[in-house]
Amino acid sequence: MNQKNSLGLNSCFLDIDDPIQLFHEWMEEAKKTEPNDPNAVALATSNKKNIPSVRMVLLKDFNKDGFVFYTNLNSQKGNELKENPYAAMCFHWKSLLRQIRINGKVSLVSDQVADEYYSSRAYESRIGAWASKQSEELNSREQLIKSMQDYKKKYSNKSDVPRPGHWSGWVLSPNSIEFWLDGENRIHERLKYNKDKSGKWIKSLLSP
C-alpha cells in the first residue's frame, strides 16, 4: 500500500487543494483521539506597540471564510485585535503528533451569528459573560461571585438572557495555513498553503 501522497508526504496530508477541507479531515481525526478539547487553539495577538501575547481559546466554528472564536471585546485579546487586526493560531494535537499553524486578519462576526451562538451556551456561561470584566484586575473572588449572583437576579429567566454588547465573535480569515507532522529524528513533514492575490491557494513544502 502506498503511504505517501503525490508530494511524497505521509498520506494523512491527502491530495487536497483546499486547506479548509484538509483542516476538517485533521480535526475529525483529533476528535477521535484527543482526550479533552480537540478544538483548543493557541491564539497569538499583538498590540499597537507590536508586543505579542498568546493564550488558549476554543474554536467554535470554521468554514471557507475562516476560523471563529468568541470573547469579551474589552478583554486584552479583544482590545489588541481592535488595535491590530492580525493574529495567528496554532493547534497542537499531541495524540496525533500534528500541528496546524494559521495566520490571517480578523473581523467581527455578524450580530446574528453572535446571537445564535450566545443563545446556545449554558445559562451560567451566559451570565458569566455579563458578570466578568475579563482581563481587568479583580479585588477578590467574592467580587466576581457577587456579580454573577446579581446578574442571575436580573436575568432570572434562563431562556431570556440577552447577549452583552461587549461580547461577540471574531473570525480569522487565513492567508496562510501550515500542516505539520512529527517525523523521526526531527525530520518533520510540513505542507504550507499560501493564498495569492486572486484568492487561490498555492501549496509548498517546507524544510523541517
Side-chain angles (χ1 to χ4, degrees), residues 2 77-78 84 112 118 123 161 167:
N2 179 14
K77 61 181 170 294
N84 179 356
Q112 179 181 352
Y118 180 79
Y123 174 69
V161 183
W167 191 97

Side-chain angles (χ1 to χ4, degrees), residues 74-170:
N74 296 324
S75 65
Q76 180 182 354
K77 61 181 170 294
N79 286 324
E80 288 181 350
L81 290 171
K82 285 182 278 189
E83 293 176 353
N84 179 356
Y86 292 91
M89 289 179 165
C90 182
F91 292 86
H92 176 225
W93 296 310
K94 189 174 182 179
S95 63
L96 295 173
L97 302 177
R98 298 179 188 179
Q99 292 186 71
I100 300 178
R101 298 169 63 197
I102 304 168
N103 288 275
K105 188 175 183 179
V106 301
S107 58
L108 287 170
V109 302
S110 69
D111 286 343
Q112 179 181 352
V113 168
D115 287 342
E116 288 176 356
Y117 174 70
Y118 180 79
S119 64
S120 74
R121 303 179 88 210
Y123 174 69
E124 295 281 344
S125 296
R126 283 176 281 149
I127 291 296
W130 280 102
S132 174
K133 297 180 179 180
Q134 194 176 95
S135 300
E136 292 188 15
E137 186 172 332
L138 190 63
N139 293 328
S140 67
R141 188 71 178 175
E142 288 70 25
Q143 177 187 354
L144 176 60
I145 293 172
K146 183 180 184 305
S147 180
M148 291 192 68
Q149 291 173 340
D150 290 343
Y151 277 107
K152 283 182 178 180
K153 292 177 182 177
K154 182 175 182 179
Y155 300 118
S156 58
N157 184 346
K158 294 184 178 182
S159 63
D160 186 21
V161 183
R163 176 175 63 88
H166 60 260
W167 191 97
S168 189
W170 296 94

Side-chain angles (χ1 to χ4, degrees), residues 25-36 38 95-96:
E25 299 291 339
W26 280 32
M27 176 60 81
E28 289 303 304
E29 288 299 313
K31 289 178 180 179
K32 300 174 186 176
T33 61
E34 287 294 300
N36 294 298
S95 63
L96 295 173

